Amino acid sequence: MNHNTTESSVIPIRTLRERFRRKRITCIMLFCITIILIITIPTVIVLVKNESTTKTSTTYTISTDSTSFVIPTSTIDEVSTDSMPSVIQTSSRLTITTLTKEQMVTSVHNDINVKWMQNAMTVAGGHGRGDELKQLANPYGIDILQEDNDQLIYVTDYDNHRIMEWRSNAIEGRVIAGGNYIGSSIYQLNQPTDVVFDEKDDSLIICDKGNRRIVRWFRQKHTTPQIIISYIDCWSLAIDSQRNLYVVNYGMSEIRRYSENDTDGTLITNGYNNTDRFNQPSYIFIDKNDSIYLSDWGNHQVIKQMKDMSYNSIVAGGHGFGNDSKQLIYPQGIFVDDLDNVYVVDGDNSRIMRWCKECEKGEKVIGGNGFGILENQLNGPKDMVFDRENNIYVVDKDNHRVQKFSVDVD
């Protein structure tokens, strides 16, 4: 037997066995890797999706009077809850003007379809006519002040000759002005009809109707009240962006404007286009552009006059005495939103109406269920005001209460 021949035949067999072993190991490794990938990839996908959902499900909404920005929390590097920084660093380098807490409220008036709950909550009075701190007697005017986390409601308590202050959820109010019986001394009031807050002096400006004067009462009790305008038949007040005071002089059926320390005033208007005289004008409202809105009570219409213009126009009612969607009966308080929608207290129809800009017809937003004392009824409503959350407050005069109609979020 040839030794070289035998040796040469054995070497290929060994080589084949070695190659087979390596291939088997490689196949096993590939199989294991495949199994690991099959298990791992779906798990990673699920985790990534969950993380993405978590980052985008919560947003911060920041709004100004007319514009809202919705910013995903996943893109915000820094946000302060006390006041928004002048620039919020985001992935898109979005720049936002500094906002205070008071400004961080979305205006529902950007949506004409907003609704209010039809059953109201009593937030002042509501315990019958009387002079106790939990009672009112024929209230007329109202204003609201946001103070820190509290909300102060100021009401003219006509037949108690005082201004009442009510805090949120308070059982009773407190006397903030007057309340010293009827009289004409500096510390007395006589049938006040309206009140507005003046931020500069931290004071309340009051129509002291029975004394034919306008007075300023400071919220700090140690400061003596001031008579700022005398011999005027004041019914309603409003302040514009320059702190000019507008007064409805019902005795002269006119609106006058008073700058600071001005006791004579300037005649703004006394009729529809200054030809048809107003018929017992009642409440006034000044919008963000300093346009004037006036309830022309006896003519059953609301008039708008733009700043520095001599002419005006009818923006609500103006179709005579009645209760259809074109009409008003003795309109009272007014509010105008950022889109120039006009809200009117339709006095003798016991309802709140809304006229959109340039609409011939209005729509009922509250009330209209007849005179009564139920939660969905009003009785002789007078003034109205909106708070920061766009809830409506109505002075329900003959029920001696103030009713809050909350925004319907459903």
Side-chain angles (χ1 to χ4, degrees):
M1 183 174 183
N2 190 316
H3 180 75
N4 292 332
T5 303
T6 305
E7 183 70 18
S8 62
S9 63
V10 171
I11 290 174
I13 293 173
R14 288 179 179 176
T15 300
L16 289 173
R17 287 178 178 175
E18 182 66 20
R19 288 177 179 175
F20 178 78
R21 187 178 66 82
R22 288 177 180 177
K23 287 182 177 180
R24 186 174 60 180
I25 292 172
T26 301
C27 289
I28 292 172
M29 291 177 65
L30 289 173
F31 178 78
C32 292
I33 292 172
T34 302
I35 295 298
I36 292 171
L37 290 174
I38 290 172
I39 295 172
T40 304
I41 289 175
T43 304
V44 172
I45 291 173
V46 170
L47 290 174
V48 170
K49 286 183 177 180
N50 287 341
E51 183 179 1
S52 176
T53 302
T54 301
K55 287 184 178 180
T56 59
S57 61
T58 303
T59 61
Y60 287 93
T61 302
I62 304 172
S63 64
T64 62
D65 288 339
S66 60
T67 305
S68 294
F69 303 93
V70 180
I71 307 173
T73 57
S74 59
T75 65
I76 294 178
D77 294 332
E78 180 182 358
V79 174
S80 169
T81 56
D82 293 329
S83 63
M84 288 305 201
S86 297
V87 178
I88 296 180
Q89 298 296 329
T90 72
S91 58
S92 59
R93 300 299 179 191
L94 177 64
T95 301
I96 299 177
T97 304
T98 301
L99 300 177
T100 64
K101 284 183 178 179
E102 287 74 19
Q103 293 170 303
M104 293 169 59
V105 180
T106 302
S107 175
V108 298
H109 301 306
N110 290 336
D111 181 5
I112 193 66
N113 296 315
V114 68
K115 304 295 182 183
W116 284 265
M117 302 291 289
Q118 294 302 298
N119 287 338
M121 175 177 67
T122 300
V123 294
H127 297 277
R129 177 191 171 100
D131 60 3
E132 297 179 16
L133 293 179
K134 65 179 180 180
Q135 294 177 304
L136 297 169
N138 290 328
Y140 275 83
I142 186 173
D143 200 7
I144 285 184
L145 169 63
Q146 193 71 35
E147 188 177 71
D148 297 327
N149 294 322
D150 202 0
Q151 188 165 264
L152 306 178
I153 302 172
Y154 293 101
V155 185
T156 59
D157 194 4
Y158 185 85
D159 280 340
N160 284 323
H161 317 291
R162 64 190 184 183
I163 308 298
M164 296 295 291
E165 176 190 85
W166 291 74
R167 292 186 176 271
S168 300
N169 303 315
I171 298 175
E172 61 183 30
R174 75 180 182 107
V175 178
I176 195 72
N180 301 307
Y181 305 103
I182 186 172
S184 59
S185 79
I186 195 63
Y187 289 101
Q188 292 178 303
L189 297 173
N190 183 353
Q191 296 179 329
T193 55
D194 202 10
V195 57
V196 293
F197 174 69
D198 185 358
E199 183 178 3
K200 180 182 177 182
D201 297 319
D202 192 25
S203 63
L204 300 173
I205 301 177
I206 302 166
C207 269
D208 189 10
K209 169 181 166 289
N211 286 320
R212 301 189 65 236
R213 65 188 183 185
I214 298 173
V215 295
R216 184 189 301 276
W217 282 65
F218 297 89
R219 294 204 304 150
Q220 303 301 322
K221 291 285 190 178
H222 61 271
T223 306
T224 303
Q226 300 173 348
I227 300 173
I228 56 177
I229 303 172
S230 298
Y231 309 112
I232 185 169
D233 296 314
C234 173
W235 186 266
S236 180
L237 301 166
I239 300 177
D240 70 12
S241 60
Q242 305 301 313
R243 294 190 67 248
N244 295 309
L245 180 66
Y246 291 76
V247 180
V248 175
N249 185 335
Y250 70 90
M252 298 296 294
S253 292
E254 65 183 22
I255 299 174
R256 298 191 77 84
R257 180 181 63 210
Y258 296 82
S259 57
E260 194 167 5
N261 300 319
D262 176 12
T263 58
D264 295 325
T266 301
L267 175 65
I268 300 301
T269 182
N270 59 13
Y272 175 53
N273 283 329
N274 293 313
T275 55
D276 299 330
R277 292 298 297 269
F278 295 134
N279 185 354
Q280 299 184 56
S282 55
Y283 290 89
I284 187 173
F285 183 90
I286 308 294
D287 72 8
K288 63 183 185 300
N289 298 315
D290 290 341
S291 295
I292 301 167
Y293 294 79
L294 175 71
S295 287
D296 189 5
W297 185 84
N299 288 324
H300 316 292
Q301 60 191 12
V302 175
I303 299 295
K304 175 182 178 180
Q305 183 161 320
M306 299 177 67
K307 182 180 180 181
D308 298 329
M309 297 295 180
S310 60
Y311 62 89
N312 48 45
S313 58
I314 299 171
V315 293
H319 294 275
F321 178 105
N323 61 6
D324 70 20
S325 59
K326 292 183 178 181
Q327 296 175 306
L328 297 167
I329 301 180
Y330 302 121
Q332 305 279 355
I334 315 168
F335 181 86
V336 182
D337 68 23
D338 292 339
L339 294 181
D340 294 336
N341 299 312
V342 181
Y343 296 77
V344 187
V345 176
D346 189 5
D348 278 18
N349 282 320
S350 294
R351 63 188 184 184
I352 309 299
M353 296 290 289
R354 173 173 59 193
W355 261 263
C356 65
K357 187 176 181 179
E358 299 179 355
C359 288
E360 184 179 5
K361 296 182 179 180
E363 62 173 328
K364 183 191 73 173
V365 294
I366 287 172
N369 302 308
F371 296 97
I373 201 169
L374 300 178
E375 294 175 340
N376 67 343
Q377 292 180 307
L378 299 169
N379 189 2
K382 294 297 179 184
D383 204 2
M384 68 179 297
V385 69
F386 280 58
D387 68 13
R388 293 189 314 163
E389 296 175 347
N390 300 295
N391 304 306
I392 298 177
Y393 297 73
V394 180
V395 178
D396 192 12
K397 171 182 165 287
D398 292 340
N399 284 326
H400 314 292
R401 65 188 182 184
V402 175
Q403 297 292 86
K404 175 183 177 181
F405 293 87
S406 299
V407 172
D408 189 348
V409 297
D410 293 333

